[in-house]
Amino acid sequence: MIRFESVTKRYPDGTLAVDSLDLQAPTGKITVFVGPSGCGKTTSLRMINRMIIPTSGRIWLDDIDTAKIKPAKLRRGIGYVIQQAGLFPHRTVVENVATVPVLLGESRRDARRRALEVLDRVGLPAELSERYPAQLSGGQQQRVGVARALAADPPVMLMDEPFSAVDPVVRAQLQDEFLRLQGELGKTIVFVTHDIDEAIKLGDQVAVMRVGGRLAQLASPAELLSR
Ligand code: ADP
Ligand code: ADP
């Protein structure tokens, strides 16, 4: 479980990005942050792995205060997927995915085998594994981004608009496959989107934020649909 306890982020220029956020993201579930541009979604997400340091408050991973763990150790257990897949352009698909296991000390051979397995799980055709990222479509690049995050088998995944840069048909496909995969893997996922339909489709719970960084409501998709 991830727990925000009265978390506030004020940037050095004075912008109040997140204001006194209290929230729990349950283990094995998808929690979606949704709201208009600038409401503090990305800031909230990046405070979980301490890419951004809260101004005040605490974020707990189970019973551990994330401020008390070395960032490198914290991030080992937290996968991170962003909108532009952020792949290494000069490494092939399989090398991109194998990078993290190699950094974690796996042999190249094992890391490569694992990378190919994970790529298969996210539905990337095997014949694309030796291509470079620029030779893939946007949707395929996102699959590789998800695979790279999954390769270290982290219990927690942070996903920031991972499907927003692709066209609607591919997006719907990626969403469906993501739900299928999550059904098997049961990760603790925090997912950011500005798209309320995506939030309702993917979320076990939906945190609706409003500009000024405040939580407007925390609801189930069914509750959001019934209003
Ligand atoms: P969202 O992800 O919902 O679009 P962000 O978390 O990116 O929102 O931003 C929340 C607010 O903080 C916005 O007003 C944004 O302009 C501001 N902000 C984000 N990053 C910085 C920064 N490094 N310095 C100052 N203000 C920032
Ligand atoms: P999408 O509709 O998913 O964005 P694209 O139109 O970008 O797909 O690509 C369609 C197909 O062409 C994909 O199978 C992709 O692998 C292939 N492709 C795209 N760019 C290149 C490239 N530079 N070299 C080789 N194949 C490519």
Side-chain angles (χ1 to χ4, degrees):
M1 183 187 67
I2 301 164
R3 185 157 60 90
F4 288 78
E5 183 186 331
S6 196
V7 174
T8 290
K9 176 62 185 184
R10 191 181 283 282
Y11 284 105
D13 69 356
T15 304
L16 183 59
V18 176
D19 186 6
S20 314
L21 180 62
D22 284 295
L23 177 93
Q24 294 188 13
T27 301
K29 303 282 184 198
I30 303 175
T31 297
V32 180
F33 280 104
V34 70
S37 178
C39 70
K41 305 182 295 293
T42 293
T43 301
S44 299
L45 194 75
R46 291 185 179 176
M47 287 193 288
I48 296 171
N49 64 1
R50 291 184 72 80
M51 291 169 72
I52 294 175
I53 307 298
T55 308
S56 62
R58 284 174 206 280
I59 300 175
W60 300 85
L61 255 187
D62 297 325
D63 54 355
I64 300 168
D65 180 349
T66 52
K68 306 239 160 99
I69 323 174
K70 286 215 173 80
K73 186 172 180 210
L74 178 69
R75 287 171 202 163
R76 214 166 292 157
I78 303 180
Y80 183 57
V81 185
I82 57 176
Q83 179 173 342
Q84 303 297 343
L87 303 175
F88 307 120
H90 303 298
R91 293 184 190 170
T92 64
V93 164
V94 67
E95 287 166 357
N96 261 277
V97 178
T99 297
V100 175
V102 166
L103 286 176
L104 295 179
E106 269 190 40
S107 73
R108 289 193 178 273
R109 219 168 131 226
D110 288 350
R112 196 187 150 79
R113 187 180 319 124
R114 175 102 76 100
L116 290 171
E117 271 167 30
V118 179
L119 284 163
D120 181 54
R121 287 204 104 151
V122 301
L124 192 84
E127 65 270 19
L128 301 184
S129 60
E130 300 300 335
R131 285 198 188 177
Y132 288 90
Q135 297 171 313
L136 300 182
S137 72
Q140 291 166 341
Q141 289 184 30
Q142 284 310 111
R143 284 172 208 261
V144 178
V146 172
R148 190 171 60 177
L150 284 173
D153 197 22
V156 175
M157 294 269 282
L158 308 181
M159 308 183 77
D160 194 345
E161 304 261 5
F163 310 139
S164 299
V166 295
D167 66 68
V169 174
V170 175
R171 188 182 316 147
Q173 226 173 29
L174 290 174
Q175 289 168 342
D176 292 341
E177 289 175 13
F178 167 65
L179 284 176
R180 179 184 50 74
L181 194 62
Q182 168 64 359
E184 294 169 19
L185 300 179
K187 304 274 180 200
T188 305
I189 291 175
V190 184
F191 190 108
V192 162
T193 180
H194 62 272
D195 175 356
I196 187 71
D197 295 326
E198 181 169 66
I200 288 170
K201 178 171 175 181
L202 299 184
D204 292 302
Q205 68 171 5
V206 181
V208 182
M209 296 189 69
R210 56 167 177 253
V211 175
R214 294 197 69 108
L215 182 62
Q217 60 170 325
L218 184 63
S220 68
E223 285 166 337
L224 288 175
L225 278 173
S226 69
R227 321 197 163 156

